[in-house]
Amino acid sequence: SNIGYSIEYMNDNEMGDSETHRNNFYALIKEHVNYHKDYEQPFSAIMAGGDAALRFCMDHKQELFPNVPIVFYGVSDIDYAKECVSDPNVCGNIEKIYLRETIDLARALRPNADEIIMIHDLTDEDRADWRMLQNLAPEYPKYKISDINTGQMTTEAFCETIENLNKNAIVLCSHAQKDSAHHTFSTVKRFNMIAEHCNVPVFTCYMEAIGNGATAGDVVYARDCSMEAAETVVQVLTGAK
């Protein structure tokens, strides 16, 4: 298809989710939208990758993207996604998180486990993973369910905590890239840190962690999610959807 595109990265994982960063990103997108409207061609569709991007698009939809189709992908918050698709100009795909499958793999490998601990931070994606585990908890009545929120502790305190975990625990890790001092770590660096300090094996649903200290079964492939969303955009623009 002869469709041009432009990409803007929110960079929440690197820049943080401060009001200053959000305001700067809003100003950037507003300038970009106005430039295309005045000097090129207005955007025909918007793709939103991830929870933060979808929330941004919905928060500013009336001002920046009125009557423009929005197609989302890689979104973890199912309830919010359902709320968004009540708008006829919004559609997309929920990110399939293989949490149940990962837990069952961990149970098979650690049959004496009596606790499931999730490591996460305060980002939308990680909080969605933690809610998913809480919703799955009734399926695992013999296990204590707990969490470690890296967004509420220093990196030093986090490392000390995971050095002294219950040796019979199943440890699940989401992204957990942020700490309480607003430091942000790459996925690879964070998982290497966890592998160095954690006293029990770590399991994950995310492919970036494979080979960097975590065990995984079925994982999320971001490339496949984005390709599916791009195909949906083409269908929308050509009237096939």
Side-chain angles (χ1 to χ4, degrees), residues 228-239:
E228 185 176 351
E231 290 170 0
T232 300
V233 168
V234 173
Q235 293 173 356
V236 169
L237 296 181
T238 58

Side-chain angles (χ1 to χ4, degrees), residues 97 99 103 115-121 125-134 136 144-150 158 170-176 203 205-206:
I97 305 297
L99 187 57
I103 292 172
E115 182 178 9
I116 300 174
I117 304 171
M118 175 169 279
I119 301 174
H120 65 95
D121 61 24
E125 292 84 353
D126 277 26
R127 285 186 292 187
D129 287 353
W130 170 230
R131 285 195 301 272
M132 186 182 298
L133 176 57
Q134 290 174 301
L136 289 174
K144 175 185 176 183
I145 306 295
S146 60
D147 73 315
I148 298 172
N149 189 335
T150 64
F158 169 63
I170 289 171
V171 177
L172 306 170
C173 190
S174 189
H175 297 92
F203 297 83
C205 304
Y206 296 98

Side-chain angles (χ1 to χ4, degrees), residues 33-48:
V33 168
N34 289 338
Y35 178 85
H36 274 261
K37 186 190 308 179
D38 295 338
Y39 299 105
E40 295 188 6
Q41 181 178 346
F43 290 113
S44 302
I46 302 295
M47 289 177 62

